[in-house]
Amino acid sequence: MSVSRLFIEADLAAGVEVALDEAQAHYLRHVMRREEGASLLLFNGRDGEWKAVLSLRGRKAAVAVVEGRTRIQAEEPDVWLCFAPVKRARIDFIVEKATELGVSLLQPVLTQHTAVERVNVDRLRANAIEAAEQTERLSVPEVRRPVELGRLIDQWPAGRRLLMCDETGGGPPIAGALAALDSAARTAPWAIVIGPEGGFAQAELAALRRMTDVTPVGLGPRILRADTAALAALACWQAVLGDWREPTPRLSGDYRTARSAR
């Protein structure tokens, strides 16, 4: 039986008892049919990953009794994904897959051609947590509330480079552009920005190109859907600048396959 893995907010240390929330307790008891003493893995994005055992309390409650650390907290690439919201199933897909690909922050961006006006940030956060639990990540990306593109540009943090996916074909191929960066740019924090289904307005493209430390790139000869473009750009960044450059030892199983159980 595979070991259930949970993200929790509490600090982790040997001997600590962590109260599981109602949804986690229900999932373990009634969906996964875990019994008293079942093994768990816990992580909180700060203290690494820890082995724990399940302790059932009454008819509904449960706690995890922490035993020992299985992995220390590792440094992860600092790359944001700024994307225009798309329809529900596809925005859920972006969040899930971007979490798997190691993004550190997810920022929905409202543009002139954005068709979706409301974004359920709590649902996106839940999707990110589940994806992190299943893929052995030691952290969960931050999910921010939507912001207008103009405000995002005005408040852009100094020193964070921007990879702009230019659907007009005005940028060089992404792999070559990333490979040609100097050492300072390669080690800087980054963000990737993807436009909406209708593309950026010309004024928005001009504003993005005027930003300091922006790198416009193309994503090949085919027109990509917004969700495809976001994940393709993130995968290229990870392959050239991120944590795909060196082999990473796995705990067990096929490194291409996520755990089947939370």
Side-chain angles (χ1 to χ4, degrees):
M1 181 182 293
S2 58
V3 178
S4 295
R5 190 167 184 270
L6 298 175
F7 172 79
I8 53 112
E9 299 286 352
D11 293 335
L12 294 171
V16 170
E17 290 192 359
V18 179
L20 303 179
D21 64 32
E22 183 177 348
Q24 290 171 328
H26 174 82
Y27 182 81
L28 291 173
R29 297 175 66 127
H30 302 295
V31 179
M32 299 305 297
R33 302 293 183 183
R34 300 304 193 214
E35 298 180 351
E36 178 77 18
S39 294
L40 304 173
L41 290 172
L42 307 179
F43 68 106
N44 59 11
R46 304 181 303 275
D47 301 320
E49 181 183 76
W50 293 72
K51 181 181 178 182
V53 294
L54 179 65
S55 178
L56 305 179
R57 305 291 171 89
R59 298 181 59 186
K60 295 183 178 181
V63 302
V65 182
V66 182
E67 294 186 335
R69 185 154 51 188
T70 59
R71 284 192 290 165
I72 63 172
Q73 191 70 33
E75 184 177 356
E76 297 179 340
D78 185 3
V79 57
W80 298 359
L81 179 62
C82 306
F83 63 98
V86 291
K87 294 178 182 178
R88 174 168 178 166
R90 289 169 60 194
I91 194 172
D92 290 348
F93 179 81
I94 289 173
V95 169
E96 176 185 304
K97 301 309 175 186
T99 300
E100 292 181 23
L101 289 168
V103 72
S104 59
L105 182 145
L106 291 151
Q107 175 64 73
V109 181
L110 304 179
T111 71
Q112 183 175 327
H113 296 155
T114 299
V116 176
E117 296 181 356
R118 299 184 63 182
V119 176
N120 187 331
V121 175
D122 291 338
R123 189 184 78 243
L124 299 187
R125 168 73 173 171
N127 289 338
I129 290 174
E130 183 173 351
E133 290 173 339
Q134 292 179 349
T135 55
E136 296 184 357
R137 273 193 72 161
L138 292 175
S139 66
V140 174
E142 180 184 352
V143 182
R144 290 187 176 175
R145 297 196 174 278
V147 63
E148 293 183 358
L149 179 61
R151 177 172 294 182
L152 180 72
I153 292 173
D154 291 340
Q155 298 177 349
W156 194 256
R160 182 169 295 275
R161 298 188 64 94
L162 180 65
L163 189 69
M164 185 187 82
C165 298
D166 187 351
E167 70 268 11
T168 67
I174 183 171
L178 292 175
L181 293 168
D182 60 29
S183 59
R186 296 174 72 89
T187 57
W190 277 83
I192 297 167
V193 63
I194 300 289
E197 295 171 297
F200 288 117
Q202 288 301 314
E204 293 171 334
L205 285 170
L208 287 167
R209 291 193 183 102
R210 288 194 299 267
M211 293 179 65
T212 303
D213 294 332
V214 62
T215 302
V217 295
L219 295 179
R222 290 166 292 279
I223 297 175
L224 303 181
R225 286 169 40 151
D227 48 338
T228 306
L231 302 178
L234 182 56
C236 288
W237 187 93
Q238 282 284 35
V240 179
L241 302 184
D243 59 8
W244 288 10
R245 293 172 294 169
E246 298 180 2
T248 302
R250 308 299 297 178
L251 295 181
S252 62
D254 182 353
Y255 80 98
R256 297 286 184 184
T257 306
R259 290 182 179 270
S260 60
R262 291 173 54 197

